[in-house]
Amino acid sequence: MRVASVAGLALLAGLLSGGGSAADESTGPAGFSASCGAEDGDAGTVTAAVGVSVDVPATGEAGRPVQPGPVTLTVTLSRADLAGLLPEGAEAFVSRASLKVMVAQNGDSAEASWELHAPSTLLPADGDVVLVHSGDVPYVTLGSAGDVDFSVKELKIELRSATAEPEKTTPPLTTMTCRLDEGEDGHLATTRVTDGPGTGPSGTPETFPTPAGGSGRAKDKDIAVEPTDAEDEADPDYCPVEPPVGEMDSSKAPQPSPGRPVNVIELPGAFMCANVLGLANVQKLNGAMVVNDPDHPALISVLSTKRISSREADDWEDPEGRGRYLRIDNLANIDLPDADSTFLTFGFQPVTAKVSFETGPMTISIGNIGYDLDAAFSTVYFKQSLRIHDVKVNGTPLDVGNNCRTVKPFEVVLNGGSAYTNVALGGRLDGEVTIPPFSGCGTGGEDLNPLFTAAISGPGNRIFMNQAPTCYPAFPESSYCPPAPAELPGTKPKS
């Protein structure tokens, strides 16, 4: 039995190729209870709920790699228990988990280490803290036929400050080991391995080297074909966009209550990118258009954790913690492609047009006020202008000129609530905008401004956006690289 190491990572390769083959066993999340304690042992042990979700092949061949994954690991602890393991003042952290998995067959066993990562997580005021780790994991090659069992043995979690400068090595906030409680067998999945062409008379497996720079996943090309020089040197640009520029404006996010000064820390930020997809309603036309063409989507570029504003409550004067405040600001840019729109103007006239978006710098603010979980917030703020062109009325072109646009940029404020808790994980954001009047519409002395203003401009225009999890190109093995596709809001069935 051999456990191979992963040389590289394509986290979403299995997900992007479709629903998987018939040989994939979607085990669903396996749940266990565990007891966790810090390495120094001073804080004692705390209770954690551990969930593991992984796709494992239901069958395999001796001598051929069996590839589990990708893996999602959730660890849930109470806020009070986790705070007891962290140094005072810890507000946000990233987590790295090492999950020890026992691989057993025919009385023999080997241990695989599944290294997984969770993005920046805020320490809430109360309730539970859920650390969501993900990643690709090593494949296993078996030398003989027989059922192979995968089971959790133990888990080690290392928490580091999310505000630490990435180029500096800083000690972890805490390192804790979690062991399954008595009565928990840790079983994840079983793979039935049969004799295959890769085994000789003695049952000894052939050697299938992992290509230099390859993924270590059980793809045909990784197993049987040595990579070309071009493949060896390939360094995919997961985020083919420039880092965002501009000034952040967090004025639309909830502000701290009057009181003691708020401590503000400016940071360089971590460059990331993600897919976003949305719908924009035009209230007067009783219709909507898709924002960011799903066939050729533009990526949003993000500098994560550019600024942290925080203030602790005064235990004596404010025992209920109303003065506590935490806000993490992130800077983002996106160059949206033109949107194709089709509406029945005034309820009867079919009109098609292209809409160009001129979008200013975005500020993504995430935080919490006081100790009330309901006071958590997520806000995206930017300014945007619209330009309309390539207009057809009932199939006949209407020349509106090259400068038919809103007279001024309008403000866009989107709120995520509980659906968007972290820029690295993304989520859904909703808002409502007022579209200004139009100017510059028409040619040859024809003034079409009143027509477009009457048909489009006004309040009550809803916007619905979904941001997929971010790719962190500096550390693709611990993020969603290449960037995951985003879902169109409202298309996912309700559970």
Side-chain angles (χ1 to χ4, degrees):
M1 186 179 297
R2 184 176 76 251
V3 178
S5 63
V6 178
L9 180 66
L11 179 62
L12 297 178
L15 297 179
L16 294 178
S17 63
S21 68
D24 287 341
E25 176 195 346
S26 295
T27 64
F32 314 104
S33 60
S35 297
C36 305
E39 284 192 341
D40 56 24
D42 292 341
T45 60
V46 298
T47 300
V50 178
V52 182
S53 179
V54 56
D55 289 342
V56 178
T59 60
E61 291 182 355
R64 295 280 183 178
V66 173
Q67 176 66 69
V71 177
T72 300
L73 165 71
T74 60
V75 181
T76 305
L77 305 101
S78 76
R79 195 269 185 202
D81 285 346
L82 183 57
L85 300 174
L86 294 171
E88 187 176 354
E91 295 283 1
F93 43 82
V94 293
S95 176
R96 181 176 68 183
S98 178
L99 186 65
K100 291 184 179 179
V101 175
M102 186 65 67
V103 185
Q105 182 198 42
N106 301 332
D108 294 326
S109 63
E111 188 177 280
S113 180
W114 291 2
E115 299 293 331
L116 308 168
H117 298 260
S120 177
T121 303
L122 293 175
L123 186 65
D126 201 355
D128 291 335
V129 182
V130 182
L131 304 175
V132 183
H133 307 77
S134 60
D136 222 359
V137 299
Y139 60 69
V140 180
T141 303
L142 291 310
S144 58
D147 287 353
V148 181
D149 290 321
F150 295 81
S151 59
V152 175
K153 186 177 180 182
E154 72 173 31
L155 167 67
K156 181 172 286 188
I157 301 174
E158 182 181 88
L159 300 182
R160 291 184 177 273
S161 172
T163 62
E165 296 184 26
E167 65 272 13
K168 294 184 178 180
T169 302
T170 56
L173 299 174
T174 188
T175 300
M176 54 185 173
T177 299
C178 301
R179 294 181 173 85
L180 300 188
D181 292 339
E182 187 176 353
E184 299 279 10
D185 62 8
H187 178 72
L188 293 177
T190 300
T191 297
R192 174 153 294 180
V193 176
T194 59
D195 287 324
T199 53
S202 65
T204 303
E206 295 177 1
T207 300
F208 300 101
T210 300
S215 69
R217 296 180 62 84
K219 299 178 183 176
D220 289 343
K221 70 180 182 66
D222 284 349
I223 295 172
V225 180
E226 288 291 340
T228 63
D229 291 341
E231 287 174 323
D232 258 343
E233 297 172 0
D235 183 16
D237 186 357
Y238 293 124
C239 291
V241 288
E242 294 296 321
V245 295
E247 296 296 323
M248 293 186 296
D249 184 348
S250 56
S251 61
K252 302 301 179 181
Q255 300 299 304
S257 60
R260 293 181 297 130
V262 173
N263 182 42
V264 178
I265 303 174
E266 301 287 347
L267 297 166
F271 174 53
M272 302 177 176
C273 67
N275 278 303
V276 294
L277 192 57
L279 292 170
N281 286 354
V282 180
Q283 175 72 12
K284 286 183 177 180
L285 297 178
N286 194 30
M289 59 183 170
V290 175
V291 179
N292 207 5
D293 182 0
D295 293 329
H296 307 284
L299 291 170
I300 185 173
S301 64
V302 180
L303 280 178
S304 173
T305 318
K306 276 278 291 175
R307 182 170 59 214
I308 298 178
S309 304
S310 63
R311 180 180 66 193
E312 281 301 316
D314 189 311
D315 293 337
W316 294 101
E317 298 181 1
D318 184 19
E320 296 182 2
R322 288 187 293 259
R324 182 180 183 270
Y325 184 80
L326 174 66
R327 190 186 75 239
I328 297 177
D329 295 327
N330 313 268
L331 177 64
N333 287 166
I334 188 168
D335 185 9
L336 290 167
D338 291 351
D340 292 310
S341 62
T342 301
F343 297 99
L344 288 176
T345 308
F346 304 117
F348 68 91
Q349 189 70 266
V351 175
T352 62
K354 289 186 179 295
V355 179
S356 297
F357 305 90
E358 298 172 2
T359 305
M362 298 180 175
T363 303
I364 306 173
S365 301
I366 302 166
N368 200 92
I369 299 175
Y371 296 129
D372 186 358
L373 287 176
D374 293 334
F377 61 84
S378 53
T379 303
V380 177
Y381 172 60
F382 56 96
K383 291 184 178 181
Q384 189 174 69
S385 295
L386 302 180
R387 184 174 72 88
I388 297 177
H389 55 100
D390 294 338
V391 179
K392 293 181 180 180
V393 180
N394 202 22
T396 302
L398 175 65
D399 190 356
V400 301
N402 296 321
N403 198 34
C404 181
R405 63 175 64 244
T406 51
V407 296
K408 63 179 181 179
F410 54 91
E411 294 184 332
V412 180
V413 181
L414 305 177
N415 292 288
S418 60
Y420 191 108
T421 58
N422 190 300
V423 70
L425 293 180
R428 174 166 163 164
L429 296 145
D430 299 354
E432 189 173 294
V433 300
T434 297
I435 300 177
F438 281 78
S439 67
C441 303
T443 59
E446 185 178 23
D447 184 7
L448 298 178
N449 295 328
L451 176 64
F452 286 98
T453 297
I456 299 174
S457 302
N461 304 285
R462 298 287 296 170
I463 296 179
F464 309 90
M465 298 295 293
N466 257 346
Q467 179 212 307
T470 58
C471 165
Y472 187 7
F475 296 97
E477 71 281 355
S478 61
S479 62
Y480 290 79
C481 295
E487 291 181 340
L488 190 65
T491 60
K492 186 174 182 180
K494 294 182 178 180
S495 56

